[in-house]
């Protein structure tokens, strides 16, 4: 919250939000609700414009897939990252996410251009 004064600048013309958190910290699970509220809901972004990344530290153990988030976070795309085990999976998910954001940007740009023409 030290940087809250910077948030408006970060949010300006934002097309996507990636929230990375440590699923083993209960405080992080509370904080991602606040980040989602401020950066996604209050910016009127679509849930598809947000990606949640549960980052597991090397050797942290625990069941990576056993993470159930409450509404509305459970509507978001959630990926688990553990760079020791599956860096390629994470890279592919990021690429898919970025492609979806680029598609959204292009579609909204085309709509704007059509509205100007008509």
């Amino acid at each position: 919250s030290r940087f809250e004064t910077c948030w408006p600048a970060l949010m300006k013309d934002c097309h996507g939000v990636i929230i990375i958190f440590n699923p083993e910290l209960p405080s992080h699970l509370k904080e991602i609700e606040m980040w989602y509220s401020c950066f996604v809901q209050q910016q009127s972004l679509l849930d598809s414009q947000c990606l949640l990344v549960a980052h597991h530290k090397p050797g942290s153990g625990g069941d990576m897939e056993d993470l159930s988030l409450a509404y509305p976070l459970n509507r978001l795309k959630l990926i688990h990252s553990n760079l020791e085990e599956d860096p390629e999976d994470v890279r592919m998910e990021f690429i898919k996410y970025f492609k979806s954001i680029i598609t959204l940007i292009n579609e909204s740009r085309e709509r704007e251009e059509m509205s100007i023409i008509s």
Side-chain angles (χ1 to χ4, degrees), residues 1-8 10 35 39:
S1 59
R2 273 182 307 180
F3 303 110
E4 275 182 49
T5 50
C6 305
W7 288 4
L10 288 173
W35 290 107
F39 280 83

Side-chain angles (χ1 to χ4, degrees), residues 47-107:
D47 285 344
S48 60
Q49 288 169 275
C50 182
L51 177 66
L52 288 181
V53 181
H55 184 65
H56 300 262
K57 290 181 176 170
S60 62
D63 186 2
M64 280 186 37
E65 304 306 318
D66 188 27
L67 176 65
S68 56
L69 297 172
Y71 179 87
L73 297 174
N74 60 6
R75 299 185 312 196
L76 304 174
K77 172 76 176 164
L78 168 69
I79 64 170
H80 291 267
S81 74
N82 179 334
L83 300 181
E84 269 188 331
E85 290 174 23
D86 56 4
E88 191 55 30
D89 284 1
V90 175
R91 201 171 73 86
M92 293 310 295
E93 289 292 351
F94 269 101
I95 289 168
K96 267 198 293 196
Y97 170 71
F98 287 124
K99 280 183 176 172
S100 72
I101 295 295
I102 290 165
T103 301
L104 271 171
I105 293 168
N106 288 339
E107 284 172 357

Side-chain angles (χ1 to χ4, degrees), residues 7-26:
W7 288 4
L10 288 173
M11 295 181 204
K12 187 176 178 342
D13 300 329
C14 171
H15 293 293
V17 176
I18 298 173
I19 300 173
I20 302 172
F21 65 100
N22 181 343
E24 284 137 52
L25 293 181

